[in-house]
Amino acid sequence: MIVITIDQRRSRSGPDKVEALLHRLANDYEAVRGFERTAGDEIQGVLRDGAAAVDLALEVARTGEWSVGIGVGAVETPMPEQTRAGRGPAFEHARDAVERAKGSSGSLALSGPGDGAERLEAELQLVAMVNARRTESSAEAGILVSRGLTQQQVAAKLGISQQAVSARLASGLWYEATRLAAAAGLALHEYALITEGSRRT
C-alpha cells in the first residue's frame, strides 16, 4: 500500500491552505482512504495505484507550498474508515519520508523496505527538481500538452509559433521528465505490491 503524508511549508507565517488542498485531491484522485487532516497543517491519504501516487506527489510538490512524503509497505487490516487511525509499516515510512522531505530535493521523499525505495526516491526527486526549476512559460506549455493538445494547438492558444512551443518544452525537459515520472509510477506500483506480498508470506 502507498501512504502519502503532506505537510504545509511555512504554515506559521501564512494562511492555512489545507482545506483547499483536501478539496482538490478529493476531486482529482481516487484513494483507498481519502485524504484528511491528521494534525495541524498536515494531511494524509492511502492509495493503491502507483501512477496516481506519483502524479499526486509531483503535482503537490511542484507548488513549493508542501513537503510530500511517500510511505510504501503493508498496513494493518482491516483498515479503519478514518485515515488518521491507520497503522502499519506504510504509515511509519510515510512519517519518516515527510520529515526528510522538509530538507530534501524537490520537497519530496520516499521511504519503504528493501532496496527499491532509494532508487525510486532519487527518480522522483529528480523530476520534482526539474518541475520546480521550469520557467512559468515552459510549465504553461507543458500543462497544455499534458491535457492532450498538440504543439500546434498549444501555439494557437498561446499566440506563439510552434517552434516557440517546442523550445519551451525542450528547455523544461518536459518529455524527458514525463517519461521518467511514468516509469517511476509503474515501478512504485510494483514495489508496493511486492512489499505487501512479502508481509503476508
Side-chain angles (χ1 to χ4, degrees):
M1 204 70 73
I2 302 165
V3 177
I4 299 182
T5 300
I6 303 170
D7 188 66
Q8 185 176 336
R9 299 170 65 86
R10 300 177 293 276
S11 58
R12 295 182 181 179
S13 59
D16 188 317
K17 301 177 181 179
V18 167
E19 291 304 320
L21 180 61
L22 286 173
H23 180 74
R24 190 164 88 243
L25 296 181
N27 287 335
D28 294 347
Y29 294 96
E30 182 176 346
V32 177
R33 291 292 182 271
F35 280 85
E36 60 183 39
R37 190 189 295 261
T38 54
D41 50 12
E42 182 182 277
I43 68 173
Q44 190 171 67
V46 183
L47 287 78
R48 180 170 282 113
D49 183 79
V54 165
D55 287 347
L56 185 157
L58 290 173
E59 177 192 346
V60 174
R62 182 167 50 235
T63 66
E65 298 174 343
W66 308 90
S67 298
V68 183
I70 304 172
V72 186
V75 298
E76 291 187 7
T77 56
M79 287 185 63
E81 288 301 314
Q82 289 190 315
T83 305
R84 66 173 65 94
R87 299 177 61 184
F91 287 92
E92 296 164 9
H93 287 308
R95 166 57 49 202
D96 169 73
V98 76
E99 290 301 322
R100 290 192 300 104
K102 296 174 183 179
S104 297
S105 301
S107 301
L108 188 154
L110 182 147
S111 295
D115 300 327
E118 186 173 358
R119 178 173 178 177
L120 273 169
E121 180 180 73
E123 292 173 350
L124 292 177
Q125 287 179 347
L126 179 59
V127 176
M129 288 300 295
V130 169
N131 289 346
R133 295 181 181 184
R134 281 197 188 103
T135 63
E136 186 175 339
S137 60
S138 177
E140 182 182 35
I143 290 170
L144 291 173
V145 168
S146 72
R147 293 174 180 169
L149 275 67
T150 65
Q151 288 192 21
Q152 187 173 7
Q153 290 170 328
V154 172
K157 187 175 183 64
L158 298 180
I160 58 177
S161 68
Q162 185 174 343
Q163 290 78 9
V165 172
S166 180
R168 291 183 184 187
L169 295 173
S171 66
L173 298 176
W174 186 267
Y175 291 115
E176 295 84 353
T178 299
R179 288 170 58 195
L180 182 55
L186 292 174
L188 176 58
H189 191 76
E190 294 178 2
Y191 175 51
L193 290 175
I194 290 170
T195 57
E196 283 189 76
S198 62
R199 176 78 175 184
R200 296 192 186 101
T201 55

